Structure formats: structure tokens, C-alpha cells
């Protein structure tokens, strides 16, 4: 029963972890809370799992070292997660703790899949008994209680984690664009852009064309690497550039690096194609000559170095949830 409960908790952790990265509005707060609660549930299961591990080690299997690697990865992921959320472990050797938390969690997946196959345990009828259901309910209640208590202690103690946004991100560089990190999504690098034009359907715009139509909007950028910043962005509303959407179901925004994101057409009125921030032109690292501002969306939606806006009949969800290029 311990292994099945642990597996269920791990599935919840991974599902809510993916949801927490994608969530950018307060309506998605429950996903982040669920991720933290599931993490605490894993911790509560450790004593029972240790008994299983000790029994397994006595069998001296040749592949037991892989099981130990899995355990080490799991402990590291938990330590980094709790360390970052409380604010006491923001970086490790100059690397953001949240990035390490995510990277190790992804590295854990193949080892976990091997473990599930190699150590498969067939469920028993007793695993669905009333007693088991009661124990599971107590564990879930305990995890929720510990989560609430921990959040309260962090708040009362004035720990750095009390200053986080609901997504888990810490403020960095609000209204100081030069202090805002130049975070780049996965394999993107800052391109060298000389002659640039924006393509919107059959139309084409230069940077000077956009400058003459600029407005300013305040918006908060919440990056999936664990920081957020509020800035005054200046640029052209995307609605003014694309006009009526007609029968289109999505707006495809493409970067000069090949990175692209597809938005639902309902988002068009909130989008801004920014060419300046804080009253100054964008820096290359922040998307010069033009980047998208997408309020309520996480950082990977804020496409940098935009070169194409294209209405499409394809639904917005027909894309990777976390674009790779």
C-alpha cells in the first residue's frame, strides 16, 4: 500500500508541478497549493517507505544502486523545492534553486519509470479496504495541515518565502528594467538583428513605423525560472496590427529564433507588441527590437524578438504546452 500511495503522490506532484509552471493568474493558485501539499505528502510517506527500502536492500539486487540514485534524486528535489519556497535556498552555486528543482525532477522521471517496471508490485484486494481509505484520508489531511502550518510559520517568521507571489516567484527588477534578468527559454540564444521588419499577414512594418503608434501599459512578467517584475511597457496593441480576426481561432506569434507560441484569439485585445520598457528601447536580452507583452501569462508566452504575427484557423491548444523552439 505504501508504494501505491507514494506513486499516486508522485503523479500528483508532477501534474501540479507542470500546472504550476503554466499558471499565471490567481485563478490557478490552487495548482501551486496542490503542488506544495503533494510534496508534503511525500515527506509524510518517507518513514513507511524507509521500511520498504530496508527490506529491499537486504535482497542485495545488482541494480539496487539505481534505486538509491532514485532516492537521492527524490530527496534533492524535495530539499530544493522546500528550500526555494521558504526562501532559504534561492540559489546553489549561482544557479536558481527552482531551475535545479525542475531539472532534477525531470532527470528523476526515467529512473522512476525503470523502478516501476523493475520493482512492480501487483495491487492486492486489501489495498482498497476501508482501513486503507482511512489511512489515506488521514495522510491527506495531515499534509494539508502541515502545509497550512508551514505557510503560517513562514509568514509569521518573516522568512524570505513570505514575499513570494502566489506562483512561487520572487520580485526582481520591478520598474528597473536593467535589473530584470535576461532569462531565455531553453535552447534560445540572443540573436544579432540588423535589418528587421515585422510581418503581419500581407503587411510589413519597420521599427520606426511602430514607434509612431506607441502606447504605454503596465504589466507584470512572471518568469518560470522563479522571478517576477512589473514594468511600464511601450508598444503597439496587437489588435491595432492585426485588425478583425474573422474566422481565425488563434494568433501565432513567431520569434526570429524560430520559437513560437499560439494564442487564443480572445487574448488579442490584451496583447501588446512592446518596443520599449521603462521609457527606453528594449535591450537585446529583453527582446530588441520587439517582444510580446501577455498579461496574465507566464514568461514563456512573452515571445522575444518577434518577427511574425499570423492569424490561423488552427485552435490555440494545438501546440506544445511548453514550446521547445
Amino acid at each position: 500500500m505504501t508504494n501505491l500511495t507514494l506513486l499516486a503522490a508522485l503523479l500528483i506532484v508532477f501534474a501540479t508541478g507542470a500546472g504550476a509552471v503554466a499558471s499565471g493568474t490567481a485563478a490557478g493558485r490552487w495548482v501551486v497549493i496542490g503542488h506544495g501539499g503533494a510534496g508534503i505528502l511525500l515527506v509524510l510517506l518517507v518513514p513507511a517507505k524507509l521500511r520498504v527500502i530496508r527490506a529491499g536492500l537486504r535482497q542485495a539486487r545488482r541494480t539496487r544502486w539505481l534505486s538509491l540514485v532514485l532516492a537521492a534524486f527524490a530527496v534533492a528535489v524535495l530539499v530544493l523545492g522546500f528550500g526555494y519556497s521558504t526562501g532559504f535556498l534561492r540559489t546553489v552555486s549561482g544557479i536558481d534553486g527552482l531551475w535545479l528543482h525542475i531539472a532534477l525532477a525531470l532527470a528523476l522521471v526515467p529512473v522512476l519509470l525503470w523502478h516501476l517496471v523493475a520493482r512492480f508490485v501487483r495491487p492486492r484486494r486489501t489495498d482498497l479496504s476501508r482501513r486503507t481509505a482511512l489511512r489515506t484520508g488521514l495522510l491527506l489531511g495531515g499534509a494539508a495541515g502541515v502545509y497550512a502550518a508551514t505557510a503560517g510559520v513562514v509568514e509569521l517568521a518573516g522568512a524570505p518565502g513570505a514575499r513570494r507571489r502566489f506562483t512561487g516567484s520572487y520580485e526582481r527588477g520591478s520598474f528597473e528594467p536593467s535589473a530584470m534578468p535576461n532569462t531565455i527559454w531553453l535552447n534560445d540564444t540572443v540573436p544579432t538583428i540588423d535589418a528587421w521588419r515585422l510581418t503581419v499577414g500581407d503587411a510589413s512594418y519597420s521599427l520606426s513605423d511602430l514607434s509612431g503608434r506607441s502606447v504605454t501599459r503596465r504589466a507584470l512578467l512572471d518568469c518560470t525560472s522563479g522571478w517576477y517584475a512589473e514594468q511600464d511597457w511601450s508598444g503597439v496593441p496587437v489588435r491595432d496590427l492585426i485588425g478583425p480576426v474573422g474566422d481565425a481561432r488563434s494568433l501565432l506569434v513567431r520569434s526570429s529564433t524560430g520559437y513560437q507560441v499560439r494564442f487564443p484569439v480572445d487574448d488579442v485585445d490584451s496583447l501588446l507588441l512592446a518596443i520599449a520598457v521603462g521609457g527606453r528601447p528594449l535591450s537585446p536580452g529583453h527582446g530588441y527590437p520587439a517582444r510580446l507583452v501577455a498579461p496574465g501569462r507566464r514568461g514563456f508566452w512573452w515571445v522575444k524578438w518577434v518577427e511574425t504575427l499570423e492569424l490561423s484557423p488552427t485552435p490555440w491548444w494545438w501546440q506544445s504546452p511548453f514550446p521547445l523552439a
Side-chain angles (χ1 to χ4, degrees), residues 128-210:
L128 300 177
S129 67
R130 182 179 299 178
R131 180 180 178 183
T132 298
L134 178 60
R135 288 177 56 193
T136 302
L138 289 173
L139 279 171
L140 291 173
V146 173
Y147 181 90
T150 302
V153 169
V154 168
E155 186 75 30
L156 289 174
R163 299 191 295 271
R164 294 181 304 146
R165 196 167 180 254
F166 71 89
T167 57
S169 297
Y170 293 86
E171 189 277 328
R172 291 178 66 181
S174 289
F175 306 112
E176 295 182 47
S178 61
M180 187 170 61
N182 290 331
T183 305
I184 296 176
W185 182 254
L186 296 181
N187 60 336
D188 264 356
T189 56
V190 178
T192 299
I193 298 176
D194 297 319
W196 175 86
R197 293 191 72 85
L198 173 71
T199 301
V200 185
D202 296 329
S204 178
Y205 301 91
S206 68
L207 188 57
S208 59
D209 292 333
L210 300 180

Side-chain angles (χ1 to χ4, degrees), residues 40-55:
I40 290 174
L41 178 58
L42 289 177
V43 174
L44 295 180
L45 287 167
V46 167
K49 183 60 179 177
L50 285 175
R51 292 193 292 271
V52 176
I53 291 173
R54 283 196 293 268

